[in-house]
């Protein structure tokens, strides 16, 4: 049995194909009349095969967005100022190009979602090593653009990012020029390229100066900064003769607040006893007393570039030229405020 040609099958077409009357077709499709179940089912099957029904509207062109670092945890990433600003800018950029933007939650639950999600392309933010979402999208051939270099880049991968190594060195040089002698890095939580590049740059900077690196593990629920208890002036390491930490670069948004809380508990003045820089887009840091120095990654610029690159990939899925691996690098900015001035 073949589908009829033309604008679409009629009830008469279905009646002829099913060898029943038009009245029987009408009853079968509308759930009325007294028909045998087998007859009703057969008429509906014939109607489906012929393509009977209201015309389907074309699917809206859609891009997807997912933050896949800390995979599977039920965390609200839009509470973080960086992601909130990124998503808002990406939505505007997608709409300007005629796409809807679907933002997926961090707690994914059912992995089959990524094998059936109806999108033309995906934006992946902070994709970690072993990213199951990326694996599913690659298997389906869905175009992907990354915010942050993928853990294991492949030929043709496209991403937008900052130069985190250069930014880390800028922050550390700034703190050292302000008089810091023992600079700690609060990091080491995520498995995405951002954490790895910042930590690697910090260790290299310390090695060049003969300093012992100190990476203080970030814990999102450590709101009072207990991780610093052993390293500030009143801590046991200082009491044992170890040089206390006198500056911190906190590389995650909540880290600055944790450092400030720990300093207050230990009676340390910022910046008198402790210098602080935090990578964050949160405007409240500028309103703090004292105002906190921050690093901005310019999420709006990153989002605009990523959406543009993904729209280009969807329109022409050929990989970029080999001499342009990765795409665009956006310069970060160090906003110096009182917390890191001597």
């Amino acid at each position: 049995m073949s589908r009829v040609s033309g604008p679409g099958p009629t009830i008469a077409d279905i009646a002829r194909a099913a060898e029943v009357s038009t009245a029987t077709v009408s009853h079968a499709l509308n759930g009325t009349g007294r028909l045998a179940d087998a007859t009703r089912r057969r008429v509906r099957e014939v109607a489906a095969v012929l393509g009977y029904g209201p015309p389907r509207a074309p699917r809206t062109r859609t891009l997807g967005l997912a933050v896949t670092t800390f995979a599977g945890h039920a965390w609200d990433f839009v509470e973080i100022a960086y992601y909130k600003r990124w998503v808002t800018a990406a939505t505007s950029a997608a709409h300007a190009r005629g796409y809807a933007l679907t933002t997926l939650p961090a707690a994914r639950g059912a992995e089959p979602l990524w094998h059936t999600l109806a999108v033309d392309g995906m934006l992946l933010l902070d994709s970690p090593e072993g990213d199951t979402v990326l694996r599913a999208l690659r298997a389906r051939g869905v175009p992907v653009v990354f915010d942050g270099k993928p853990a294991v880049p492949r030929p043709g991968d496209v991403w937008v990012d900052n130069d985190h190594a250069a930014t880390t060195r800028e922050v550390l040089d700034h703190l050292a020029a302000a008089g810091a002698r023992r600079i700690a890095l609060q990091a080491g939580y995520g498995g995405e390229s951002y954490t790895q590049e910042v930590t690697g740059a910090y260790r290299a900077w310390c090695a060049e100066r003969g300093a012992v690196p100190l990476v203080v593990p970030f814990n999102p629920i450590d709101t009072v900064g207990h991780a610093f208890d052993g390293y500030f002036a009143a801590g046991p390491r200082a009491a044992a003769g170890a040089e206390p930490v006198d500056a911190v670069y906190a590389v995650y948004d909540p880290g600055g607040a944790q450092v400030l809380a720990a300093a207050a508990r230990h009676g340390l003045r910022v910046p008198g006893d402790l210098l602080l820089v935090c990578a964050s887009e949160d405007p409240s840091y500028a309103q703090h007393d004292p105002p906190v120095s921050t690093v901005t990654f310019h999420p709006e610029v990153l989002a605009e570039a990523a959406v543009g690159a993904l729209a280009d990939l969807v329109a022409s899925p050929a990989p970029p030229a080999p001499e342009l691996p990765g795409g665009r690098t956006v310069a970060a900015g160090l906003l110096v405020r009182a917390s890191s001035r001597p």
Side-chain angles (χ1 to χ4, degrees):
M1 186 184 300
S2 61
R3 291 177 180 268
V4 297
S5 60
T10 65
I11 288 180
D13 295 326
I14 299 170
R16 283 193 297 271
E19 299 179 344
V20 295
S21 68
T22 55
T24 298
V25 172
S26 179
H27 286 311
L29 298 180
N30 294 316
T32 58
R34 295 183 177 181
L35 299 179
D37 289 342
T39 300
R40 193 183 302 275
R41 184 169 57 253
R42 179 163 157 268
V43 169
R44 290 179 174 177
E45 289 173 352
V46 170
V49 169
L50 293 179
Y52 178 81
R56 294 183 179 180
R59 183 174 67 82
T60 303
R61 296 196 306 168
T62 303
L63 305 179
L65 183 153
V67 179
T68 55
T69 192
F70 319 139
H73 295 281
W75 67 294
D76 186 4
F77 55 84
V78 293
E79 289 184 346
I80 304 299
Y82 174 83
Y83 293 118
K84 181 177 182 179
R85 289 172 57 178
W86 210 105
V87 171
T88 300
T91 301
S92 297
H95 292 176
R97 290 167 174 77
Y99 287 92
L101 182 68
T102 299
T103 303
L104 286 305
R108 296 187 296 276
E111 289 302 328
L113 164 67
W114 303 106
H115 296 276
T116 59
L117 185 67
V119 292
D120 298 287
M122 278 291 298
L123 299 159
L124 291 188
L125 282 65
D126 290 333
S127 175
E129 187 173 359
D131 191 346
T132 57
V133 175
L134 176 59
R135 185 163 60 245
L137 295 172
R138 288 197 194 280
R140 294 175 56 197
V142 175
V144 175
V145 168
F146 302 85
D147 174 37
K149 184 178 179 181
V152 184
R154 294 185 179 182
D157 278 351
V158 176
W159 65 87
V160 297
D161 205 356
N162 310 102
D163 187 340
H164 297 298
T167 303
T168 300
R169 287 181 171 272
E170 181 183 4
V171 171
L172 298 174
D173 288 343
H174 163 69
L175 291 171
R181 298 182 57 181
R182 184 76 170 102
I183 305 172
L185 182 77
Q186 187 196 32
Y189 185 69
E192 76 292 341
S193 64
Y194 168 62
T195 295
Q196 296 171 2
E197 291 181 16
V198 170
T199 304
Y202 168 73
R203 293 186 183 279
W205 186 91
C206 290
E208 291 166 7
R209 288 156 182 79
V212 178
L214 173 58
V215 178
V216 179
F218 170 76
N219 184 337
I221 64 174
D222 181 19
T223 56
V224 296
H226 281 306
F228 291 95
D229 287 351
Y231 301 101
F232 284 169
R237 287 175 61 89
E243 188 175 11
V245 166
D246 58 4
V248 178
Y249 179 29
V251 304
Y252 304 122
D253 192 281
Q258 295 181 3
V259 174
L260 291 169
R265 287 189 298 103
H266 288 280
L268 300 179
R269 297 167 300 145
V270 176
D273 303 309
L274 182 71
L275 303 177
L276 171 63
V277 176
C278 179
S280 175
E281 313 296 338
D282 188 342
S284 68
Y285 280 121
Q287 308 304 319
H288 191 272
D289 183 20
V292 176
S293 298
T294 56
V295 170
T296 176
F297 297 126
H298 300 298
E300 290 83 0
V301 180
L302 288 166
E304 171 69 30
V307 171
L310 184 56
D312 290 344
L313 271 182
V314 171
S316 179
E323 62 270 23
L324 297 174
R328 182 173 178 182
T329 298
V330 174
L334 171 59
L335 306 176
V336 177
R337 302 187 180 101
S339 71
S340 64
R341 291 193 178 112

